Amino acid sequence: MKLPFNFKIFVLLALTTLSFSSCRKVTNKENTQTSVKDNQKTQVPKKELSVAFKDYWYAGTAEISSYKLEQARYGEIREGSAVLIYVTEPFLADKQVKADQSNASNIPVLKLNTTKNFLTGIYPYSIMTSSFFPVHDNSHALKISNSVQEWCGHVYAQLNNRENFEVVSHSYFESEADQEFKLTKDLLEDELWNKIRIDPGNLPTGSIQIIPSMEYTRLHHKEFKAYEATASLTNNGALTNYTISYPALERTLSINFSAKFPYTIENWSERAPSGFGDGAKLLTTRASKIKTINTPYWQENHNSDLLLRDSLGLR
């Protein structure tokens, strides 16, 4: 049967379109593969973990260090306590939480929970910051969270490391209230405390862009973004000092840690304006170590374990 001329043209056009579409699909696939390969080339390689690191951080315990705290708040120095709790954990990249089950896709992290407790007159302050940092030191922190509780109310913020830094913040202050925003991946002050414990030789120095700690920006009502800063690393015999200065914030953070592994945090200080308006003055917050213990604290939740707090000098 002889087909009409118009129908032949229709079939020819359809086949041409199909062929073009198929070529487009292959091209897109090839481009995607090339893009993935390019991304893989730019990834920072994992650093080998030393035997000493594995023996110390994978012994089934956490490292807990207590500190005497002299905290600047509202233009005065307050006495209190601080605790740094370091522990390794498996981390889920997609959900960005601690993994419940062992899996090859889990990311091993060194988690730091920092707590501070002090009084401002009649009412107490309780502050906690958590940072989750890859033990292979080949990425930014995967997650940072911070909460502050006092009698006026409580506030909470969380940063998730995805394509960008995704930040969610909640506050009882009208001017801050509920916020969601993204930041480019600049250095995080909150991740530096983890980097010190893994490889202090890899700490950034010189003129750099740093996002200050969530605790600082929250307490001082500063915008959570990157600021120009200068960082230096100095060896002082048994101790190494890491100092960050933020000119625009009139703030300097100085951390002293042991020069040898496991690079324990011995003390730190933070000088910055305290108070608001004309009453603000430059004051220095200080924390000096009381004691460090290594223990599986999550199992020690009985009344008979209260003596461990006494050993840390915590009330």
Side-chain angles (χ1 to χ4, degrees):
M1 184 177 67
K2 189 175 181 179
L3 296 174
F5 180 76
N6 288 343
F7 183 78
K8 290 180 179 178
I9 293 176
F10 173 79
V11 172
L12 180 60
L13 288 172
L15 290 173
T16 302
T17 302
L18 179 60
S19 176
F20 180 76
S21 176
S22 298
C23 289
R24 291 292 297 169
K25 286 181 180 178
V26 171
T27 302
N28 287 342
K29 185 176 181 181
E30 289 172 349
N31 285 343
T32 300
Q33 291 172 340
T34 301
S35 176
V36 169
K37 289 178 182 178
D38 289 343
N39 287 338
Q40 289 173 344
K41 289 178 183 178
T42 58
Q43 285 182 353
V44 178
K46 291 182 178 180
K47 293 184 178 179
E48 287 295 324
L49 302 179
S50 68
V51 173
F53 185 95
K54 293 176 182 178
D55 288 346
Y56 188 83
W57 290 112
Y58 289 97
T61 61
E63 181 199 86
I64 304 171
S65 296
S66 56
Y67 299 81
K68 177 185 177 183
L69 180 66
E70 299 171 61
Q71 177 72 43
R73 188 65 177 146
Y74 302 130
E76 296 182 73
I77 298 297
R78 323 293 179 142
E79 292 187 0
S81 62
V83 183
L84 303 185
I85 306 103
Y86 284 97
V87 64
T88 50
E89 289 182 347
F91 194 79
L92 289 175
D94 52 352
K95 294 183 179 180
Q96 300 219 323
V97 293
K98 178 183 176 182
D100 290 334
Q101 305 294 331
S102 177
N103 191 294
S105 64
N106 292 342
I107 301 173
V109 300
L110 178 63
K111 180 179 74 174
L112 167 61
N113 285 335
T114 301
T115 67
K116 286 184 174 183
N117 292 275
F118 56 92
L119 299 175
T120 50
I122 191 175
Y123 63 95
Y125 260 82
S126 179
I127 304 172
M128 182 170 179
T129 302
S130 297
S131 57
F132 303 78
F133 191 80
V135 297
H136 293 289
D137 196 12
N138 62 336
S139 168
H140 283 291
L142 302 177
K143 181 179 178 179
I144 304 285
S145 63
N146 170 263
S147 60
V148 181
Q149 302 86 38
E150 37 95 4
W151 283 5
C152 294
H154 61 99
V155 294
Y156 179 81
Q158 179 171 302
L159 178 150
N160 291 92
N161 182 352
R162 295 193 173 95
E163 186 174 346
N164 300 104
F165 285 156
E166 299 179 2
V167 183
V168 177
S169 178
H170 301 283
S171 172
Y172 59 84
F173 286 104
E174 179 186 0
S175 59
E176 297 172 350
D178 300 325
Q179 302 178 50
E180 290 188 28
F181 55 93
K182 296 180 181 180
L183 295 172
T184 55
K185 294 185 180 182
D186 288 300
L187 188 69
L188 294 158
E189 182 184 309
D190 283 321
E191 70 188 358
L192 296 175
W193 299 77
N194 305 68
K195 288 177 73 69
I196 287 173
R197 304 307 308 277
I198 295 171
D199 182 7
N202 197 35
L203 290 167
T205 58
S207 180
I208 47 181
Q209 291 275 326
I210 308 183
I211 301 173
S213 70
M214 283 188 169
E215 176 192 315
Y216 167 79
T217 54
R218 179 66 80 184
L219 294 183
H220 293 79
H221 303 285
K222 299 293 184 180
E223 184 178 357
F224 189 64
K225 65 174 187 178
Y227 293 82
E228 289 280 351
T230 302
S232 63
L233 187 66
T234 308
N235 182 267
N236 300 311
L239 295 180
T240 299
N241 173 265
Y242 189 57
T243 296
I244 309 167
S245 297
Y246 300 85
L249 301 174
E250 299 180 83
R251 175 174 177 254
T252 300
L253 173 66
S254 180
I255 307 170
N256 288 308
F257 56 92
S258 56
K260 295 182 179 180
F261 183 84
Y263 313 117
T264 51
I265 308 293
E266 297 300 314
N267 60 72
W268 72 86
S269 64
E270 177 188 0
R271 186 165 179 80
S274 179
F276 302 98
D278 295 336
K281 60 182 77 171
L282 277 174
L283 292 179
T284 302
T285 292
R286 290 186 173 87
S288 53
K289 192 169 78 170
I290 301 171
K291 187 173 182 179
T292 293
I293 63 173
N294 294 74
T295 185
Y297 69 86
W298 50 90
Q299 299 174 6
E300 296 161 337
N301 49 22
H302 303 91
N303 286 333
S304 57
D305 296 315
L306 286 171
L307 57 88
L308 292 171
R309 289 187 63 83
D310 294 334
S311 71
L312 288 165
L314 298 174
R315 290 179 286 178

